[in-house]
């Protein structure tokens, strides 16, 4: 099994890691070592879950062999972590809490843990609804189920609860192998212990806990995790793209008129129950005093009246006040911090009384299936408002009451109802709780976190470690196009001015007909909202092509190519829609299925449309939230007020920026439904002219940006898309194995495997002739200049110069060797002797540790990159004064040995220039020649020869492009050579610019100049 040494930590990995996986694991380990937070984006299919598990568990394991770990000194005041000789020492190691949004996602994470070589003691937490095996209680739901379960276990009247302690005592290794909720339920059914309480006991003594988000974000759930030492804990939020909204919603509440009326009914019922029990049982329990329940009922009636009396000028604006108004509003009812505690106690007693009444009723299990104690939610509201006895958090809220009309068929239809809302607009409140608890590190990761800066500002946390990872797929596996106009030339723009016009709807429908014909398998079509989707589909069902010769409607023409499925608004109907889509997709009588859905809907969130289930996704517009929505309007106003109160140079998030970036993040989630693994392929189609804007494209995931191409004509897009699916569907995958071969001095094989999938026929380009003396270095550099990087004649002519997009980004604190010294290969190099670093793959048992970045190609095939874009707005240039950093002694030493090469380079430069037909070509060749002179004057003789070899390798494809760029970056990594590192960026192929910039960032950061790499 491969092993990698990353920042001094030995990481076992079940497969040969991709370059981006190594980069990801380095970021995780750096965050844990430095005890800081991390924001990590890695596209779906790059194996981020497996990397996250292996990196975090390897780091934790490495602490077992350290007497004191530097990352924990600041956190724990210098507490030592001894070798794991005793149980007490093991408990001092950090606990990892791994969370995701849903249990189905956690199930996938646990499957990845089973794939990994690590076997930490683990447990997964779930709700009683998922884990209860009691014959009667398992049929209940919500708070009623929780209350009855708690009552039975407290009185030790549940057989399964009583079995837990004995089962743990007799099975001390439970949790040593990965288990999910289904496994725990099966254990309970087979051996007796309650799965819910079994997991609750196990969490006190495990290495890693798996749980949904709400177990950490909700204060009540978090307080139930009594076995966690928070100051020594790692929090991991996977699929964290919606975390800010989840945090804000968890800190907010809405109290409807109907909910308040139900609370009043429950208080009234408690008055009657307590009076009845007092007269029958002659008991004198002060906690169940009818007078307390009568006071509660009176308070709730006053609250209801007070809400009704608030002046609402219009249904659109409602009644709005600053968040602190809630304290005055409740103060009028004599509900303050001091009295709220008594009120909360009374509500607790209400829950007990209602529970006892339910237990006394006949057939309680069947009668109260859907029973919920509404007053308990009011209790939670009071705890939220009066937490810590402080009113300062009110500044992050807005008090709002709005009025709406009751829909439905009941007797109240048409009447107005009011909702009191206390909305939190600072999601960072939940994160601040973790800071106060002294959490070691918080790692947020997802396939779509961009725009990343706004995400960090929303959570109000520092994230020193950030990563936007590339994809592991080759460029030939994705087609990305912006199509601003339809088949007849009408503009695509789904803004509210155009979306209801019949011309727009017909043009979009005709485009979908074409794409349904071109795209094989499954097609996903995302609309900005249900309103737009419903209107478009309705018009397509009654609208023909527009020509009298074709009587079929647009909907019928779509259905001839693909069977349609529509995402339902009701969540209960969604599983049926998914099954319908699967059935139609597998129906051999049609050429696939098309799923019409909305951004931010269930289809766009977390579903896996891999392979034939999703060969293309169409984005029909930008999913802006409704500006008139009260919550959206108040959120924008809140952010603008916060921005205006900040210092001049402080980073702020304005209301407009938030509004725009929320739409961008919803788009990114939708396009993430396709291309789900390394060998998958698909197309992403933007049918809105606004996506042709530079700023809009900058909000797309970083890995996707170089692939975007704008088409002025619909026919051009349809032609290239047809060719994309035709070519990729007829070619087989080819595995290319690149291994570093042993040297003559018996240095052992590095054993680094890099597998590349080729799904597009490769244009080999002109052959390379000659050796060192003939190589045209200046010409190579000028050809490697990204230029426009669109599909043009020059790019096609030199397409063999644009290589694979995989690249290793070397990082700090690894072992490394000097590539210029042939004798150093195989020599152990200590970190303090290294300026920059490499990932190193550990040698086999008994072999010395090898840390070389040289990877030699056993086969010279590498991928051709066609049809990319470069988003660089300007090129880096080196001031003349920086040339003074040259090493003059080394230059004179190798002058004689490189005279022939120097002459050839100058001749090549002149020859190359003479064949150029434009001034631009002359300038490029001259610039390349000047750069080579600076390189020649700076490097030693052996280093310069090596640099030339790297350029030859790029041209001849005898080395992987990522390895070449990494090695060049290593040559230029010394502080006095960083100006060359910057200048070489001008000659990096466009697909590798983002990864090469990682080299720049890391190396400038190594000398404390992280802000200067892009100046």
């Amino acid at each position: 099994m491969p092993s990698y040494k990353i920042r001094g930590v030995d990481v076992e990995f079940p497969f040969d890691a991709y370059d981006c996986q190594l980069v990801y694991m380095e970021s995780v380990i750096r965050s844990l070592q430095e005890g800081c937070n991390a924001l990590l984006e890695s596209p779906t299919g790059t194996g981020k879950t497996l990397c996250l598990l292996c990196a975090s568990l390897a780091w934790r394991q490495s602490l077992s062999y350290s007497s004191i770990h530097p990352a924990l000194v600041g956190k724990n005041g210098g507490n030592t972590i001894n070798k794991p000789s005793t149980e007490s020492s093991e408990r001092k190691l950090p606990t990892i809490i791994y969370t995701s949004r849903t249990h189905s996602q956690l199930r996938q994470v646990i499957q990845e843990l089973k794939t990994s070589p690590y076997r930490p003691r683990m447990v997964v937490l779930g709700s009683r609804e998922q884990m209860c095996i009691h014959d009667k209680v398992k049929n209940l739901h919500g708070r009623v189920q929780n209350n009855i379960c708690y009552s039975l276990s407290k009185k030790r009247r549940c057989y399964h609860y009583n079995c837990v302690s004995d089962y743990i005592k007799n099975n001390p290794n439970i949790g040593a192998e990965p288990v999910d909720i289904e496994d725990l339920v099966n254990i309970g059914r087979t051996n007796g212990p309650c799965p819910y309480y079994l997991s609750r006991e196990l969490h006190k003594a495990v290495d890693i806990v798996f749980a949904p988000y709400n177990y950490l974000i909700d204060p009540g759930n978090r307080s139930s995790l009594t076995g966690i030492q928070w100051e020594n804990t790692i929090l991991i939020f996977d699929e964290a793209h919606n975390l800010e909204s989840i945090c804000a919603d968890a800190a907010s509440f809405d109290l409807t008129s109907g909910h308040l009326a139900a609370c009043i009914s429950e208080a009234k019922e408690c008055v009657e129950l307590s009076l009845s029990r007092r007269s029958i049982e002659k008991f004198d329990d002060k906690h169940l005093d009818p007078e307390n329940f009568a006071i509660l009922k009176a308070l709730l009636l006053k609250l209801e009246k007070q809400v009704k009396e608030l002046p609402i000028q219009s249904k659109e604006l409602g009644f709005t006040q600053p968040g602190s108004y809630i304290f005055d509003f409740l103060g009028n009812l004599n509900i303050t911090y001091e009295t709220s505690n008594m009120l909360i106690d009374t509500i607790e007693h209400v829950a007990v009384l209602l529970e006892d009444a339910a237990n006394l009723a006949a057939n309680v299990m069947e009668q109260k299936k859907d029973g919920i104690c509404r007053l308990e939610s009011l209790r939670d509201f009071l705890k939220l408002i009066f937490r810590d006895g402080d009113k300062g958090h009110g500044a992050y809220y807005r008090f709002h009451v709005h009025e709406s009309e009751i829909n439905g068929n009941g007797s109240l239809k048409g009447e107005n109802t009011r909702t009191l809302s206390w909305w939190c607009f600072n999601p960072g409140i939940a994160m601040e709780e973790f800071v106060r608890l002294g959490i070691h590190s918080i790692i947020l990761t997802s396939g779509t976190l961009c725009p990343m800066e706004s995400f960090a500002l929303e959570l109000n946390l520092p994230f020193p470690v950030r990563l936007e990872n590339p994809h592991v797929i080759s460029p030939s596996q994705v087609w990305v196009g912006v199509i601003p106009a339809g088949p007849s030339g009408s503009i695509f723009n789904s803004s509210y001015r155009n979306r209801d016009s019949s011309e727009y709807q017909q043009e979009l429908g005709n485009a979908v007909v074409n794409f349904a014909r071109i795209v094989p398998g499954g097609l996903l079509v995302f609309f900005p909202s249900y309103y737009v989707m419903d209107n478009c589909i309705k018009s397509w069902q009654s609208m023909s092509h527009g020509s009298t010769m074709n009587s079929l409607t647009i909907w019928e023409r779509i259905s001839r190519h693909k069977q349609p499925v529509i995402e339902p608004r009701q969540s209960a109907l969604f599983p049926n829609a998914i099954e319908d889509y699967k059935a139609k997709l597998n129906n051999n009588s049609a050429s696939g299925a098309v799923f019409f859905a909305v951004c931010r809907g269930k289809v766009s969130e977390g579903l896996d449309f891999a392979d034939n289930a999703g060969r293309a996704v169409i984005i029909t517009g930008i999913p802006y939230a409704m500006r008139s929505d009260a919550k959206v309007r108040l959120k924008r106003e809140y952010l603008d007020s916060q921005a205006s109160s900040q210092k001049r140079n402080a980073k702020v998030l304005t209301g407009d920026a938030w509004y725009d970036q929320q739409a961008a993040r919803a788009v990114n989630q939708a396009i993430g439904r396709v291309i789900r693994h390394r060998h998958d392929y698909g197309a992403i189609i933007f049918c809105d002219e606004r996506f042709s804007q530079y700023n809009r494209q900058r909000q797309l995931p970083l890995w996707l940006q170089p692939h975007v191409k704008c088409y002025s004509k619909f026919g051009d897009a349809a032609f290239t898309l047809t060719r994309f699916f035709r070519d990729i569907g007829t070619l087989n995958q080819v595995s290319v194995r690149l291994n570093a071969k042993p040297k003559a001095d018996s240095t052992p094989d590095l054993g680094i495997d890099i597998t590349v999938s080729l799904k597009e026929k490769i244009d080999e380009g002109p052959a390379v002739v000659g050796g060192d003396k003939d190589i045209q270095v200046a010409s190579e550099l000028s050809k490697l200049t990204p230029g426009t990087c669109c599909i043009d004649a020059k790019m096609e002519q030199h397409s063999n110069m644009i290589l694979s997009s995989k690249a290793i980004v070397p990082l700090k604190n690894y072992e490394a060797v000097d590539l210029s010294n042939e004798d150093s290969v195989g020599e152990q190099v200590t970190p303090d002797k290294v300026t920059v670093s490499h990932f190193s793959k550990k040698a086999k048992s008994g072999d010395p540790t090898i840390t070389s970045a040289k990877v030699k190609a056993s086969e010279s095939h590498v991928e051709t990159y066609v049809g990319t874009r470069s988003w660089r707005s300007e090129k880096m240039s080196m001031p003349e004064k920086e040339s003074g950093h040259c090493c003059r002694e080394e230059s004179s030493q190798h002058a004689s040995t490189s005279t022939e090469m120097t002459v050839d380079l100058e001749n090549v430069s002149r020859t190359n220039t003479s064949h150029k037909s434009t001034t631009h070509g002359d300038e490029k060749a001259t610039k390349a020649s000047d750069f080579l002179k600076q390189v020649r004057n700076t490097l030693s003789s052996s280093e310069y020869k090596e640099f030339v070899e790297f350029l030859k390798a790029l041209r001849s494809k005898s080395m992987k492009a990522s390895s070449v760029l990494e090695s060049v970056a290593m040559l230029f990594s010394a502080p006095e050579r960083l100006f060359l590192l910057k200048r070489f960026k001008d000659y990096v192929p466009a697909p590798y610019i983002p990864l090469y910039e990682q080299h720049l960032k890391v190396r400038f950061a190594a000398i404390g100049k992280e802000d200067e790499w892009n100046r």
Side-chain angles (χ1 to χ4, degrees):
M1 183 173 291
S3 178
Y4 300 89
K5 184 174 284 295
I6 304 178
R7 294 181 66 93
V9 176
D10 292 331
V11 181
E12 303 288 335
F13 204 68
F15 317 106
D16 289 327
Y18 294 120
D19 304 338
C20 63
Q21 292 174 331
L22 296 172
V23 174
Y24 187 92
M25 289 191 285
E26 190 278 340
S27 298
V28 173
I29 293 174
R30 178 188 163 196
S31 169
L32 299 177
Q33 286 179 340
E34 297 177 1
C36 62
N37 306 324
L39 206 55
L40 310 177
E41 181 186 80
S42 195
T44 301
T46 54
K48 70 176 186 302
T49 300
L50 184 60
C51 292
L52 192 53
L53 289 169
C54 289
S56 57
L57 291 171
W59 170 81
R60 186 182 185 277
Q61 181 175 283
S62 71
L63 301 184
S64 301
Y65 308 105
S66 303
S67 58
I68 300 178
H69 194 274
L72 299 179
V73 172
K75 296 285 182 180
N76 300 330
N79 289 344
T80 61
I81 299 179
N82 301 315
K83 294 184 180 181
S85 56
T86 64
E87 184 180 355
S88 62
S89 65
E90 281 290 336
R91 284 201 296 265
K92 290 182 181 180
L93 294 177
T95 301
I96 299 172
I97 302 182
Y98 194 115
T99 69
S100 194
R101 290 189 304 119
T102 65
H103 277 289
S104 62
Q105 291 171 340
L106 287 175
R107 190 180 304 116
Q108 296 172 7
V109 174
I110 294 172
Q111 285 300 117
E112 293 289 347
L113 180 62
K114 293 178 181 179
T115 304
S116 81
Y118 294 95
R119 288 297 177 265
R121 194 171 188 198
M122 56 78 66
V123 71
V124 57
L125 301 180
S127 64
R128 288 178 172 88
E129 286 193 24
Q130 295 167 312
M131 306 179 85
C132 181
I133 56 175
H134 190 282
D135 290 339
K136 294 182 178 179
V137 179
K138 68 180 180 182
N139 297 319
L140 303 177
H141 302 281
R143 296 177 189 272
V144 169
Q145 184 187 53
N146 293 342
N147 291 338
I148 292 179
C149 172
Y150 178 77
S151 175
L152 291 175
S153 59
K154 186 177 181 180
K155 298 172 183 177
R156 300 193 65 81
R157 291 170 53 190
C158 175
Y159 164 77
H160 301 289
Y161 172 81
N162 297 339
C163 290
V164 170
S165 59
D166 288 340
Y167 183 82
I168 293 177
K169 187 183 299 182
N170 297 328
N171 297 270
N173 293 325
I174 180 70
E177 288 293 322
V179 292
D180 57 21
I181 288 178
E182 288 75 14
D183 296 325
L184 290 175
V185 170
N186 290 333
I187 288 174
R189 288 171 177 166
T190 304
N191 301 297
C194 169
Y196 177 80
Y197 282 104
L198 179 62
S199 66
R200 290 288 163 160
E201 285 299 314
L202 289 176
H203 96 273
K204 300 174 182 178
V206 294
D207 306 325
I208 184 168
V209 177
F210 296 93
Y213 285 166
N214 60 307
Y215 278 75
L216 293 184
I217 295 172
D218 181 78
N221 286 329
R222 190 169 63 240
S223 63
S224 68
L225 302 179
T226 56
I228 303 296
Q229 298 179 10
W230 294 103
E231 70 280 359
N232 199 25
T233 297
I234 313 299
L235 302 188
I236 296 175
F237 291 90
D238 198 358
E239 300 298 334
H241 47 271
N242 287 332
L243 185 61
E244 83 281 13
S245 60
I246 293 173
C247 289
D249 291 344
S252 306
F253 71 80
D254 297 285
L255 182 61
T256 65
S257 297
H259 192 103
L260 187 54
C263 290
I264 294 171
S265 297
E266 288 180 348
K268 180 181 178 181
E269 182 182 356
C270 284
V271 172
E272 296 171 353
L273 284 172
S274 60
L275 287 172
S276 174
R277 293 183 66 175
R278 172 170 287 189
S279 61
I280 295 174
E281 300 177 16
K282 307 292 183 181
F283 75 98
D284 188 19
D285 190 341
K286 294 182 180 179
H287 295 304
L288 301 180
D289 191 340
E291 186 176 344
N292 292 336
F293 301 135
I295 293 173
L296 174 62
K297 176 187 171 183
L299 275 175
L300 295 175
L301 288 169
K302 288 182 180 179
L303 176 61
E304 183 182 51
K305 180 182 178 182
Q306 194 163 301
V307 171
K308 288 181 179 179
E309 291 176 348
L310 289 174
I312 295 180
Q313 297 178 352
S314 68
K315 288 185 178 180
E316 291 75 20
L317 296 178
F319 176 84
T320 304
Q321 292 292 328
S324 58
Y325 180 78
I326 190 73
F327 301 109
D328 297 331
F329 181 78
L330 295 179
N332 294 332
L333 303 173
N334 197 31
I335 301 177
T336 63
Y337 174 72
E338 290 76 16
T339 60
S340 66
N341 291 327
M342 294 184 289
L343 194 58
I344 289 171
D345 288 341
T346 301
I347 293 175
E348 297 279 4
H349 300 142
V350 165
V352 172
L353 186 59
L354 292 176
E355 174 195 322
D356 290 344
N359 284 328
L360 291 172
N363 300 320
V364 58
M365 304 306 176
E366 287 71 32
Q367 289 183 8
K368 301 288 281 185
K369 277 187 179 180
D370 299 320
I372 295 175
C373 180
R374 270 77 175 184
L375 275 168
E376 287 190 309
S377 61
L378 186 63
R379 173 202 61 191
D380 296 338
F381 297 160
L382 291 174
K383 287 182 177 180
L384 184 66
I385 294 169
F386 295 106
R387 62 175 179 268
D388 301 329
D390 185 22
K391 298 181 179 181
H393 58 282
Y396 306 129
Y397 286 78
R398 290 295 181 267
F399 179 98
H400 181 77
V401 176
H402 68 274
E403 198 168 66
S404 59
E405 191 174 288
I406 297 177
N407 297 318
N409 300 319
S411 59
L412 298 178
K413 180 181 179 181
E415 292 189 12
N416 290 331
T417 180
R418 290 191 172 190
T419 301
L420 186 157
S421 300
W422 202 50
W423 289 325
C424 175
F425 292 136
N426 178 15
I429 285 182
M431 297 293 112
E432 289 172 2
E433 291 291 327
F434 298 133
V435 174
R436 281 198 285 268
L437 289 171
I439 296 297
H440 179 80
S441 294
I442 300 175
I443 298 176
L444 309 184
T445 187
S446 178
T448 50
L449 288 177
C450 62
M452 198 171 279
E453 184 60 35
S454 66
F455 194 88
L457 289 172
E458 276 270 82
L459 294 177
N460 198 29
L461 272 184
F463 290 96
V465 179
R466 299 188 188 188
L467 175 67
E468 293 181 79
N469 230 355
H471 214 299
V472 294
I473 63 170
S474 68
S476 63
Q477 292 172 249
V478 60
W479 185 97
V480 188
V482 177
I483 306 176
S488 64
S490 296
I491 297 299
F492 284 144
N493 189 310
S494 70
S495 65
Y496 69 94
R497 295 184 184 90
N498 303 322
R499 64 191 182 197
D500 292 329
S501 70
S502 59
E503 181 184 17
Y504 166 77
Q505 292 170 348
Q506 177 172 302
E507 194 77 348
L508 181 62
N510 288 329
V512 173
V513 171
N514 278 277
F515 294 132
R517 173 181 53 83
I518 296 171
V519 176
L523 174 64
L524 308 178
V525 182
F526 286 100
F527 294 85
S529 65
Y530 283 106
Y531 171 83
V532 178
M533 181 179 72
D534 292 343
N535 282 0
C536 283
I537 292 176
K538 184 179 180 181
S539 69
W540 295 344
Q541 290 171 342
S542 60
M543 183 185 293
S544 65
H545 181 273
S547 169
T548 56
M549 298 182 64
N550 194 335
S551 60
L552 293 176
T553 66
I554 290 176
W555 188 254
E556 289 171 336
R557 290 165 58 224
I558 293 173
S559 302
R560 289 177 63 182
H561 298 294
K562 295 193 185 298
Q563 299 184 66
V565 178
I566 303 172
E567 179 180 6
R569 290 176 182 259
Q570 299 85 356
S571 298
L573 300 178
F574 185 71
N576 294 334
I578 290 293
E579 292 302 317
D580 188 25
Y581 181 73
K582 291 179 179 178
K584 290 179 176 178
L585 195 64
N586 296 325
N587 187 347
N588 296 328
S589 63
S591 61
V594 54
F595 210 140
F596 294 101
V598 298
C599 295
R600 297 192 184 91
K602 285 189 173 294
V603 174
S604 69
E605 288 286 334
L607 290 183
D608 188 1
F609 292 89
D611 300 316
N612 203 50
R615 285 302 180 204
V617 57
I618 301 174
I619 305 296
T620 65
I622 302 174
Y624 286 116
M626 289 184 60
R627 287 177 178 266
S628 59
D629 181 86
K631 199 169 186 178
V632 173
R633 173 173 55 83
L634 293 176
K635 171 75 173 185
R636 295 178 67 183
E637 292 175 0
Y638 167 82
L639 289 173
D640 287 337
S641 65
Q642 291 292 110
S644 62
S645 64
Q646 297 296 319
K647 295 180 180 179
R648 178 176 246 179
N649 296 325
K651 291 182 179 179
V652 296
L653 181 65
T654 64
D656 286 343
W658 169 82
Y659 185 69
D660 192 55
Q661 290 168 7
Q662 287 295 303
R665 198 166 286 129
V667 168
N668 293 339
Q669 270 299 107
I671 64 181
R673 297 313 94 208
V674 296
I675 310 181
R676 304 290 295 181
H677 58 81
R678 173 67 183 90
H679 302 295
D680 204 353
Y681 62 91
I684 299 168
I685 307 165
F686 297 101
C687 289
D688 194 305
E689 63 171 348
R690 291 172 290 180
F691 284 106
S692 62
Q693 300 168 4
Y694 174 79
N695 289 338
R696 185 70 55 193
Q697 293 177 2
R698 292 292 291 177
Q699 293 178 330
L700 296 174
L702 187 64
W703 73 269
L704 197 67
Q705 293 177 23
H707 304 285
V708 181
K709 180 173 173 57
C710 295
Y711 295 89
S712 59
K713 296 180 180 179
F714 185 90
D716 294 341
F719 174 76
T720 59
L721 183 62
T722 302
R723 186 173 61 184
F724 167 78
F725 282 114
R726 180 198 66 200
D727 293 346
I728 205 166
T730 56
L731 295 174
N732 295 323
Q733 297 179 356
V734 179
S735 290
V736 179
R737 187 177 178 87
L738 302 177
N739 294 318
K741 296 184 178 180
K743 291 184 167 291
D745 61 357
S746 300
T747 301
D749 184 8
L750 297 182
I752 299 179
D753 294 341
I754 303 175
T755 302
V756 181
S757 173
L758 300 182
K759 290 182 176 284
E760 187 170 50
K761 190 172 182 179
I762 296 174
D763 178 8
E764 293 296 331
V768 178
V769 181
D772 291 354
K773 296 169 63 175
D774 298 341
I775 185 167
Q776 301 180 3
V777 185
S779 177
E780 304 306 332
L781 286 172
S782 64
K783 291 177 184 177
L784 287 172
T785 306
T788 60
C789 292
C790 295
I791 300 181
D792 57 15
K794 183 175 292 186
M795 178 58 70
E796 291 178 1
Q797 179 183 358
H798 301 297
S799 64
N800 59 309
M801 299 304 302
I802 311 299
L803 305 177
S804 170
S805 62
K806 286 175 61 180
I808 295 181
V809 180
L811 299 147
K812 295 184 289 185
N813 297 336
Y814 291 88
E815 296 174 340
V817 296
D818 184 356
L819 290 180
S820 65
N821 186 355
E822 295 291 333
D823 295 331
S824 65
V825 177
E827 177 185 352
Q828 185 75 26
V829 183
T830 58
D832 59 339
K833 297 179 181 179
V834 181
T835 305
V836 291
S837 55
H838 278 95
F839 298 110
S840 63
K841 184 168 181 178
K842 291 180 67 178
K844 297 178 181 179
S845 178
D847 293 338
T849 302
I850 306 299
T851 56
S852 173
K854 288 186 174 181
V855 180
K856 206 169 185 178
S858 60
E859 298 179 43
S860 61
H861 257 35
V862 275
E863 296 168 84
T864 302
Y865 194 105
V866 181
T868 61
R869 299 175 67 94
S870 170
W871 300 118
R872 288 196 299 152
S873 58
E874 59 183 4
K875 296 179 181 179
M876 307 296 289
S877 60
M878 186 205 70
E880 286 295 325
K881 63 180 181 179
E882 287 190 328
S883 62
H885 292 292
C886 298
C887 303
R888 297 299 179 187
E889 292 183 10
E890 292 182 349
S891 175
S892 62
Q893 288 174 5
H894 78 265
S896 61
T897 60
S898 59
T899 301
E900 184 177 357
M901 187 178 296
T902 303
V903 173
D904 285 343
L905 286 171
E906 292 171 351
N907 289 334
V908 165
S909 184
R910 287 195 295 271
T911 304
N912 192 43
T913 304
S914 66
H915 289 287
K916 299 292 182 180
S917 59
T918 64
T919 305
H920 176 66
D922 296 338
E923 292 175 353
K924 286 172 62 178
T926 302
K927 184 177 180 180
S929 181
D930 291 342
F931 174 69
L932 283 175
K933 291 177 182 178
Q934 288 185 322
V935 174
R936 196 163 56 243
N937 291 333
T938 304
L939 301 182
S940 67
S941 176
S942 60
E943 287 174 328
Y944 182 68
K945 287 181 179 180
E946 196 167 19
F947 175 69
V948 173
E949 289 297 322
F950 291 146
L951 294 182
K952 283 180 61 179
L954 266 183
R955 182 66 176 86
S956 64
K957 295 189 270 189
S958 62
M959 279 184 66
K960 199 164 181 290
S962 59
S963 299
V964 173
L965 295 179
E966 180 183 11
S967 300
V968 170
M970 187 173 180
L971 278 177
F972 296 154
S973 60
E976 67 275 6
R977 300 179 183 180
L978 289 181
F979 73 96
L980 295 175
L981 189 68
K982 289 171 61 175
R983 284 207 60 184
F984 189 71
K985 179 182 172 185
D986 291 348
Y987 309 103
V988 174
Y992 304 104
I993 288 173
L995 292 173
Y996 190 77
E997 287 177 345
Q998 293 281 354
H999 289 278
L1000 287 168
K1001 292 178 184 178
V1002 169
R1003 283 165 170 77
F1004 274 83
I1007 61 171
K1009 296 182 179 180
E1010 56 271 13
D1011 297 331
E1012 298 183 13
W1013 70 272
N1014 201 24
R1015 290 183 182 175

